[in-house]
């Protein structure tokens, strides 16, 4: 068995493109993550079962969230955790409970705005439909209609002469996609989706469906130094986290228990049973301690010695809007992962966390950068402060610098995904 985990190269970015294309919804992202973990020797455990003290890799799935951890040989009940955190959801358009409607001979699908998308990026784009169906017996079926079936058409410039001086999109009126012509019949959309997924429409009791851009991820630029694709926020991080966890699980004598925590619903505040505000991560960590014969004191010791890297994308400096960025902090594509800092705790990073991240990047041999918001601009947030406050775990916010965040199609440096993965490997190795 090797004493060092493998390091990732440009092939990691190629694999990321496959992961992005195959994960049009949080449920697909979780299924693909689980499949990769299974290939690395991890096994699924159910929350409703009793957990045992066996070593090795394990994971729990709840909806669009997945928690995975690796218990090395000889791990004591108070062994600390090293956690890499991310989220599986992205801003998009999601199907309403009564989806079938139309106007003026057009058949449309009623959608609700999820999170904070750049609305104009969804206009005049070929869109598919994906998510999960819940059947009457309680089981679920994934569905992915990965071809053009929907479109949100923009009004022609001839009918809106001032559009290039400032476009105003009304979320209810202007963002409802079309998917055909003719009369509207209740149940048509779900019948179509059920047929696509190979289930009987009569068996469908509920659904969690969303729209996605069907254009494939692609390298961009003369030298292919950029990567364009959907859902980079935040599947870049999910993909890097699972790759890093699988890599270190092959190592002997790990001093920590490495953990992957990929949550859902970060884009709308994380307040869900599958979100970072929910109990899922805490329950898993606590039950892991207790399964190894520990008690409250062991759990307290383990959490006190634990560290989390919360990985989410951040802003690269925009060449056309550089004044919107802090004048002394201009993260650039392919400059390595970014350390995200906000003294008002929109990010959880402090000086000690900076030292941990810098040491991991130095060990991995990758460059890194710092990000801080312009004082005149509000700062976003992540699962980092939530994880720190909810579990009392020292947390550091990091990520990959990108442009067009929350667009239907985002952009980053093609070297940065594997820089991030290598930094995460070095962190998990301890």
């Amino acid at each position: 068995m090797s004493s060092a985990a493998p390091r990732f190269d440009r092939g990691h970015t190629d694999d990321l493109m496959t992961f992005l294309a195959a994960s049009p919804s949080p449920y697909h992202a979780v299924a693909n993550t689980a499949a990769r973990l299974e290939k690395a020797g991890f096994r699924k455990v159910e929350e409703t079962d009793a957990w045992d003290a066996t070593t090795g890799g394990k994971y729990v799935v709840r909806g669009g969230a997945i928690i995975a951890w690796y218990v090395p040989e000889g791990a004591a009940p108070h062994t600390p955790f090293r956690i890499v955190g991310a989220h599986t959801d992205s801003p998009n358009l999601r199907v309403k409970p009564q989806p079938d409607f139309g106007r003026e001979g057009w058949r449309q699908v009623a959608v609700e705005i999820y999170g904070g998308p750049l609305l104009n990026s969804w206009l005049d784009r070929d869109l598919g439909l994906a998510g999960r169906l819940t059947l009457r017996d309680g089981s679920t079926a994934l569905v992915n209609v990965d071809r053009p079936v929907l479109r949100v058409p923009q009004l022609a410039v001839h009918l809106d002469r001032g559009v290039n001086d400032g476009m105003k999109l009304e979320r209810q009126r202007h963002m409802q996609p079309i998917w055909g012509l003719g009369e509207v019949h209740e149940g048509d959309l779900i019948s179509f989706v059920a047929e696509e997924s190979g289930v009987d429409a009569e068996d469908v009791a509920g659904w969690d469906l969303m729209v996605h851009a069907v254009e494939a991820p692609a390298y961009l630029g003369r030298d292919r130094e950029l990567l364009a694709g959907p859902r980079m926020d935040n599947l870049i991080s999910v993909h890097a986290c699972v790759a890093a966890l699988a890599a270190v699980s092959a190592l002997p004598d790990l001093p920590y228990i490495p953990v992957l925590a990929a949550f859902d619903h970060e884009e709308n505040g994380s307040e869900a049973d599958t979100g970072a505000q929910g109990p899922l991560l805490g329950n898993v960590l606590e039950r892991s301690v207790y399964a190894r014969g520990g008690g409250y004191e062991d759990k307290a010791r383990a959490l006190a010695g634990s560290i989390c890297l919360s990985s989410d994308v951040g802003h690269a400096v925009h060449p056309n809007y550089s004044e919107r960025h802090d004048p002394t902090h201009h993260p650039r594509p392919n400059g390595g992962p970014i350390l995200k800092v906000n003294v008002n705790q929109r990010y959880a990073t402090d000086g000690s966390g900076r030292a941990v991240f810098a040491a991991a990047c130095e060990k991995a041999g990758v460059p890194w950068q710092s990000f801080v918001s312009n004082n005149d601009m509000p700062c976003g947030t992540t699962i980092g402060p939530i994880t720190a406050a909810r579990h009392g775990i020292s947390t550091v916010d990091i990520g990959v610098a990108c442009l067009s965040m929350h667009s239907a199609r985002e952009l980053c440096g093609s070297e940065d995904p594997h820089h991030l993965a290598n930094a995460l490997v070095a962190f998990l190795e301890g």
Side-chain angles (χ1 to χ4, degrees):
M1 185 177 292
S2 173
S3 60
R7 291 299 187 252
F8 299 105
D9 55 20
R10 187 63 170 263
H12 176 88
T13 304
D14 293 337
D15 187 63
L16 169 63
M17 295 166 71
T18 299
F19 187 81
L20 291 172
S23 304
S25 78
Y27 313 109
H28 289 83
V30 166
N32 290 322
T33 296
R36 289 163 181 255
L37 290 171
E38 292 274 354
K39 187 175 181 179
F42 285 66
R43 62 182 179 87
K44 184 178 182 181
V45 295
E46 300 293 342
E47 292 185 82
T48 52
D49 291 343
W51 291 4
D52 57 37
T54 55
T55 58
K58 306 172 186 180
Y59 68 92
V60 164
V61 170
R62 182 188 291 188
I66 183 168
I67 311 291
W69 65 105
Y70 184 85
V71 181
E73 293 285 347
H78 61 270
T79 298
F81 301 96
R82 283 235 162 176
I83 305 165
V84 289
H87 66 86
T88 61
D89 59 319
S90 302
N92 57 17
L93 312 178
R94 301 207 172 186
V95 176
K96 289 183 176 181
Q98 296 178 3
D100 298 294
F101 84 109
R103 300 189 187 98
E104 308 296 340
W106 294 94
R107 297 170 67 194
Q108 294 178 268
V109 175
V111 297
E112 191 172 4
I113 310 300
Y114 177 82
L118 282 171
L119 294 179
N120 63 294
S121 72
W122 292 88
L123 301 179
D124 298 332
R125 190 180 291 273
D126 294 339
L127 303 171
L129 197 60
R132 68 175 181 180
L133 302 175
T134 301
L135 308 183
R136 296 190 184 279
D137 63 3
S139 63
T140 58
L142 293 180
V143 60
N144 182 12
V145 186
D146 195 30
R147 65 179 187 275
V149 291
L150 300 166
R151 183 182 177 95
V152 183
Q154 187 174 353
L155 186 64
V157 66
H158 312 78
L159 304 178
D160 187 5
R161 294 290 183 177
V163 64
N164 291 322
D165 298 320
M167 179 172 59
K168 175 67 174 177
L169 291 170
E170 294 181 23
R171 293 174 172 233
Q172 182 60 45
R173 275 208 308 158
H174 299 152
M175 295 306 298
Q176 307 305 313
I178 60 173
W179 75 304
L181 301 170
E183 294 184 11
V184 175
H185 299 286
E186 184 177 351
D188 271 359
L189 182 72
I190 299 307
S191 294
F192 165 72
V193 172
E195 183 179 359
E196 289 286 324
S197 62
V199 302
D200 191 330
E202 296 297 320
D203 291 333
V204 177
W207 54 85
D208 301 280
L209 299 171
M210 58 206 70
V211 172
H212 69 276
V214 299
E215 186 180 0
Y219 288 111
L220 186 145
R222 185 194 68 177
D223 299 318
R224 293 160 57 91
E225 69 267 47
L226 299 171
L227 176 67
R231 299 176 295 281
M232 290 184 176
D233 182 6
N234 185 32
L235 295 188
I236 282 180
S237 297
V238 174
H239 178 258
C241 287
V242 68
L245 178 61
V248 302
S249 69
L251 300 180
D253 304 322
L254 283 171
Y256 304 98
I257 295 174
V259 179
L260 157 65
F263 300 103
D264 197 358
H265 295 301
E266 189 274 346
E267 296 294 356
N268 58 6
S270 295
E271 292 186 347
D273 68 317
T274 53
Q277 292 271 25
L280 184 57
L281 176 61
N283 287 351
V284 168
L285 300 183
E286 183 175 51
R287 292 182 69 179
S288 175
V289 169
Y290 292 168
R292 285 176 280 120
Y296 177 82
E297 187 72 12
D298 295 293
K299 183 189 78 168
R301 292 175 65 188
L303 295 184
S306 297
I307 308 175
C308 173
L309 289 190
S310 162
S311 182
D312 201 349
V313 296
H315 301 293
V317 62
H318 197 301
N320 298 336
Y321 302 90
S322 59
E323 73 281 0
R324 301 294 183 98
H325 299 266
D326 182 83
T328 59
H329 295 77
H330 282 182
R332 288 175 168 79
N334 295 328
I338 55 174
L339 178 74
K340 301 160 76 171
V341 178
N342 179 265
V343 295
N344 294 303
Q345 289 297 290
R346 300 294 284 174
Y347 303 130
T349 306
D350 61 12
S352 297
R354 183 184 192 276
V356 169
F357 178 65
C361 290
E362 181 180 355
K363 179 180 178 181
V366 303
W368 62 279
Q369 313 172 77
S370 293
F371 169 83
V372 64
S373 289
N374 184 307
N375 286 332
D376 292 324
M377 306 293 292
C379 181
T381 190
T382 70
I383 65 168
I386 297 170
T387 302
R390 181 169 180 81
H391 306 293
I393 293 174
S394 177
T395 302
V396 188
D397 275 299
I398 66 166
V400 163
C402 74
L403 293 183
S404 306
M405 190 188 299
H406 286 198
S407 172
R409 194 168 178 85
E410 296 157 323
L411 184 73
C412 75
S414 57
E415 304 297 321
D416 283 330
H418 67 79
H419 285 328
L420 174 63
N422 284 329
L424 295 180
V425 167
F427 167 74
L428 291 178
E429 286 177 334

